[in-house]
């Protein structure tokens, strides 16, 4: 990963790693019918990743957990970031 790509990835991860910013982002990007089913007050960042190590130079992710409004289940939300 070159230096500018590394800086971009670190910047995005620092910003989107903050639950308050991620919450606002998800509320503007998700369809209305999805937003109404999630309790964003329960949004929690997880240490998980779905990106295999061999792709870390070009893709990274940030994973969150959020409860459904009906409290039946948690939903995992993965934000994929392309930086390659």
């Amino acid at each position: 990963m070159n230096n500018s790509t590394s800086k971009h990835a670190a910047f995005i991860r620092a910003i989107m790693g903050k639950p308050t910013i991620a919450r606002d982002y998800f509320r503007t990007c998700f369809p209305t019918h999805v937003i109404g089913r999630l309790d964003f007050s329960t949004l929690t960042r997880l240490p998980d990743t779905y990106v295999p190590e061999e792709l870390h130079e070009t893709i990274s992710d940030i994973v969150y957990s959020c409860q459904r409004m009906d409290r039946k289940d948690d939903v995992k939300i993965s934000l994929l970031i392309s930086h390659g």
Side-chain angles (χ1 to χ4, degrees):
M1 187 178 329
N2 71 38
N3 193 33
S4 65
T5 299
S6 175
K7 287 180 183 179
H8 174 261
F11 174 75
I12 295 298
R13 289 183 68 77
I15 296 293
M16 294 307 293
K18 298 178 189 243
T20 55
I21 293 173
R23 184 178 301 120
D24 290 344
Y25 176 79
F26 295 144
R27 283 185 174 150
T28 62
C29 292
F30 288 170
T32 305
H33 69 278
V34 173
I35 294 169
R37 294 182 178 182
L38 297 176
D39 180 358
F40 285 102
S41 71
T42 66
L43 192 70
T44 306
R45 186 172 175 189
L46 302 175
D48 302 353
T49 184
Y50 297 107
V51 177
E53 191 170 329
E54 62 268 15
L55 296 178
H56 282 186
E57 284 192 30
T58 56
I59 300 172
S60 59
D61 63 347
I62 300 172
V63 182
Y64 283 92
S65 175
C66 186
Q67 282 188 344
R68 291 179 7 185
M69 290 298 273
D70 61 12
R71 301 290 189 249
K72 289 185 178 179
D73 229 342
D74 286 348
V75 174
K76 284 190 178 180
I77 303 168
S78 180
L79 176 65
L80 292 173
I81 304 159
S82 175
H83 45 77

